[in-house]
Amino acid sequence: TIWPIFCELLSRMRSLLVLCLAATAVSAVWEDNTNTLSAKSDQIPIKYATLSAQRSGSGWFRSMLVSHPHVMDQREVFGKDFGFFRHLAESCMPSMSEDSREHAQAFLKKTVDIPDNSTDVVKYWKPAADLVSHFNDGTFEVTGFKWMMNQGLYQVVPEAVEYFNKENFKVIVLERKNFLRQAISVYQLQQTPQGSAHLKHADKSIMNLKLPITSDQFVHFFQSHESFSQHYDTIEATGNDVIRISYEQLMAEPEETIQKVYEFLGIDSLPVSTGQYVKTHSGPVGDYVEDWENVREELMKTKYANKVKLWEQHLAESIEEIAEEEGTFLFEGCF
């Protein structure tokens, strides 16, 4: 009869329907997982730049920042000649992620005519910034670099801000408000072996030398750093994504300050390694500047008189200097 055949056909159709439903469910789950994995693998790393000046605590700031395993910082890159960047792009390309390799190749094409010994940062800062901000092996969520005001930045502030805005950089401004203390530290830097800003030895004989700084030299330093401060104002006012912190803030609350920066960068909060630092100038100004009484008397005749008095009062509150930058470059063997 037809009835048994009909029942058998109906049973097979039910089985086929169950298989179809199961296949549809598996396909949906697979597609969802694939999209999730793809989204994670295609996530664009956050880019940032730390803008600062000598003896503002930027070395210590960086060493604390990179204690986070997801942060990669290329340190102070514009203090080198152009050959550094070319060597970086050529030698490290095999270790780079696919995206990083594309940027490295683009960098080499754009800068083919620039000689290795060039130090004219104004001519190549943009492709160099693009290279180092994409310098990643694919494992870091955040990549960045440090750019000092006296390394060509002050010459291109409007252009740099425009570039940072266009390329979705997060900008960290790290300044020092006590110009008197900063000036002493900068001039002391010139007396250290090899000009090292990061003193590793316990011998403080060099750090405690009285420095022959004249009132004119102090005034020139104050003027230049007033200009830097005005540039910081411009960056803060016109930048899309800027955080501004001070050396004094960093010294008073190092871990809290770094946590604020982690939040600004959009990464998880983790315990901060504050590293090691040593005291370099723990006494009054006269202990570190030759003929300070006469130098001070001349400074009292300038527009900086009240500020010098204030900076003297706060001198002892910011006496620590960085021992050594911690962390390593990505692809250390490439350098």
Side-chain angles (χ1 to χ4, degrees):
T1 63
I2 298 177
W3 181 250
I5 296 174
F6 176 76
C7 289
E8 177 67 20
L9 181 61
L10 183 62
S11 176
R12 291 184 180 182
M13 289 178 66
R14 285 175 179 171
S15 298
L16 182 61
L17 179 61
V18 169
L19 288 174
C20 287
L21 291 174
T24 300
V26 170
S27 176
V29 171
W30 173 262
E31 183 177 359
D32 182 65
N33 288 342
T34 300
N35 289 338
T36 300
L37 291 171
S38 176
K40 289 182 178 180
S41 61
D42 292 341
Q43 183 177 359
I44 300 174
I46 297 165
K47 297 176 291 187
Y48 74 91
T50 302
L51 311 182
S52 191
Q54 278 187 315
R55 299 308 232 181
S56 298
S58 61
W60 188 38
F61 172 77
R62 177 199 174 272
S63 69
M64 289 190 288
L65 197 64
V66 298
S67 63
H68 197 298
H70 296 156
V71 177
M72 176 58 213
D73 189 293
Q74 284 299 327
R75 300 189 187 181
E76 188 178 324
V77 295
F78 287 107
K80 308 174 186 297
D81 61 24
F82 179 77
F84 163 81
F85 298 100
R86 178 168 285 139
H87 178 70
L88 185 70
E90 293 175 343
S91 300
C92 300
M93 206 175 297
S95 303
M96 293 179 179
S97 65
E98 183 177 351
D99 178 67
S100 295
R101 282 196 297 273
E102 290 178 358
H103 284 274
Q105 290 166 351
F107 167 82
L108 292 173
K109 290 179 180 179
K110 291 178 182 178
T111 59
V112 66
D113 295 329
I114 299 177
D116 283 352
N117 62 354
S118 174
T119 56
D120 189 356
V121 174
V122 174
K123 291 183 177 179
Y124 59 79
W125 69 267
K126 194 176 293 186
D130 183 73
L131 172 69
V132 296
S133 64
H134 289 88
F135 200 58
N136 201 331
D137 63 354
T139 62
F140 293 95
E141 294 180 15
V142 181
T143 59
F145 60 90
K146 177 168 60 176
W147 193 357
M148 298 301 216
M149 271 290 172
N150 65 335
Q151 294 171 351
L153 174 58
Y154 76 94
Q155 297 174 265
V156 295
V157 167
E159 295 89 346
V161 173
E162 182 180 0
Y163 169 78
F164 292 143
N165 288 344
K166 181 181 178 182
E167 298 297 325
N168 297 316
F169 270 76
K170 291 180 177 291
V171 176
I172 304 166
V173 172
L174 175 58
E175 63 182 330
R176 189 166 189 166
K177 296 181 178 180
N178 191 326
F179 294 168
L180 176 64
R181 171 63 181 85
Q182 188 176 15
I184 294 171
S185 191
V186 167
Y187 282 105
Q188 180 269 323
L189 169 62
Q190 298 173 2
Q191 307 299 318
T192 58
Q194 292 82 44
S196 173
H198 307 289
L199 302 172
K200 295 182 285 186
H201 51 78
D203 181 10
K204 295 186 180 181
S205 60
I206 295 176
M207 294 183 284
N208 292 339
L209 288 174
K210 283 198 173 187
L211 303 166
I213 312 174
T214 68
S215 59
D216 288 341
Q217 288 175 315
F218 272 121
V219 169
H220 177 74
F221 186 92
F222 299 161
Q223 289 172 338
S224 65
H225 283 69
E226 268 189 336
S227 175
F228 291 171
S229 184
Q230 291 168 0
H231 287 314
Y232 295 146
D233 292 341
T234 299
I235 294 165
E236 186 177 30
T238 58
N240 289 345
D241 209 352
V242 181
I243 186 173
R244 189 168 180 173
I245 59 178
S246 70
Y247 172 92
E248 290 77 12
Q249 178 185 357
L250 193 64
M251 296 306 304
E253 298 180 329
E255 184 162 355
E256 293 84 349
T257 303
I258 297 299
Q259 294 297 349
K260 289 179 182 177
V261 175
Y262 285 163
E263 182 179 358
F264 170 71
L265 293 175
I267 54 178
D268 295 337
S269 174
L270 290 178
V272 176
S273 172
T274 56
Q276 299 293 322
Y277 52 87
V278 296
K279 295 181 179 181
T280 58
H281 302 115
S282 56
V285 181
D287 287 350
Y288 302 100
V289 179
E290 287 184 6
D291 196 23
W292 171 243
E293 289 186 5
N294 288 327
V295 171
R296 185 181 187 280
E297 183 178 348
E298 292 300 313
L299 289 175
M300 291 301 106
K301 300 175 185 177
T302 71
K303 68 175 185 177
Y304 300 104
N306 290 332
K307 290 185 177 180
V308 169
K309 292 177 184 178
L310 180 64
W311 291 333
E312 279 187 298
Q313 293 174 4
H314 292 96
L315 184 67
E317 297 180 7
S318 55
I319 57 178
E320 296 88 352
E321 285 298 338
I322 315 312
E324 170 81 346
E325 282 195 55
E326 295 178 353
T328 58
F329 287 106
L330 183 61
F331 315 134
E332 187 73 34
C334 297
F335 297 85

